[in-house]
Amino acid sequence: MYPNDPNKPRTARYDRGYDPEPQAYSQSYPQQGQQPADQYYEAAPAGQPPRRPKSNRPQVNPTMFIGGVLATAIVTGLAAWLVAWLIRLVIERVNETGKLGVWNPMANDEYWFAVVAFLCALFAGALWYVLQLATPSPNQFFSWIVGLLIIAAVLIPLLLSRDWTTGISTAIIHAVIGLPIMFLVPAMGTKSMERR
């Protein structure tokens, strides 16, 4: 039998013509003049250079993140104000009775601590956003930075204050300011992510 023999039985491969390249081979390797399809790069129009690599990192929704940071700042400010107010009441009651001696009041009033807490939360939100843009693991770096700052803010009043009551009360308020920031800001950032 010859290749062009009309009496030769016809097959599916014979009907569609001879294909020197298997289909899988032709899909995995581009034809001449075509660019390979890469799942890690964005497709560029013909005649233009390839675009920048796709980012697998989810993007932060700025509106949601700013709202979450503002809510965190309000919660932190209210917590600092409440704890400072309670500490001031305890100190006043102790001084009125006189049984435990005279305790010195806090160095600043509760409104000052509330404003400082609000500003610290805003700064922490900006820090988390910068870490999200510039580091591979922003939550871990944020936890380390804020955790070390909380330890310093608690230990410095205890070690440097001449009066132990003032040092303890200030250290407590600093911890109350730092802990909500440490846990709420990364949570707000994670919740405001948009996966593409």
Side-chain angles (χ1 to χ4, degrees):
M1 296 175 82
Y2 296 98
N4 296 328
D5 188 0
N7 297 324
K8 182 179 179 180
R10 303 175 73 84
T11 61
R13 182 171 178 171
Y14 183 82
D15 288 339
R16 73 170 186 251
Y18 177 68
D19 187 3
E21 291 186 6
Q23 187 174 3
Y25 179 84
S26 62
Q27 288 179 351
S28 59
Y29 293 94
Q31 300 295 328
Q32 187 175 3
Q34 292 181 350
Q35 290 186 351
D38 194 339
Q39 58 180 339
Y40 300 107
Y41 288 83
E42 296 177 357
Q48 293 185 4
R51 296 179 184 167
R52 62 180 177 80
K54 287 183 181 178
S55 175
N56 291 332
R57 174 175 287 185
Q59 301 298 317
V60 176
N61 182 336
T63 305
M64 294 289 291
F65 181 68
I66 291 172
V69 170
L70 287 176
T72 301
I74 292 171
V75 168
T76 307
L78 288 175
W81 175 85
L82 180 61
V83 171
W85 179 71
L86 291 174
I87 290 174
R88 183 173 61 83
L89 285 181
V90 170
I91 290 174
E92 288 177 357
R93 295 293 182 266
V94 169
N95 289 339
E96 286 175 3
T97 60
K99 295 180 180 179
L100 299 175
V102 177
W103 291 8
N104 290 330
M106 293 180 298
N108 298 292
D109 64 359
E110 52 267 24
Y111 297 106
W112 186 86
F113 284 112
V115 171
V116 168
F118 186 87
L119 295 176
C120 286
L122 295 181
F123 174 76
L127 173 65
W128 186 91
Y129 189 76
V130 170
L131 292 174
Q132 170 68 23
L133 296 176
T135 62
S137 183
N139 286 341
Q140 290 185 0
F141 286 111
F142 181 85
S143 297
W144 272 98
I145 292 171
V146 175
L148 292 172
L149 289 175
I150 291 172
I151 292 172
V154 169
L155 290 180
I156 287 173
L158 292 175
L159 298 175
L160 299 182
S161 180
R162 295 179 180 177
D163 180 45
W164 65 273
T165 56
T166 303
I168 290 176
S169 61
T170 305
I172 291 172
I173 296 173
H174 288 176
V176 169
I177 291 172
L179 291 176
I181 290 173
M182 183 175 184
F183 294 107
L184 287 178
V185 170
M188 295 302 102
T190 303
K191 292 290 185 181
S192 63
M193 293 280 191
E194 290 182 342
R195 299 195 176 273
R196 295 184 177 180

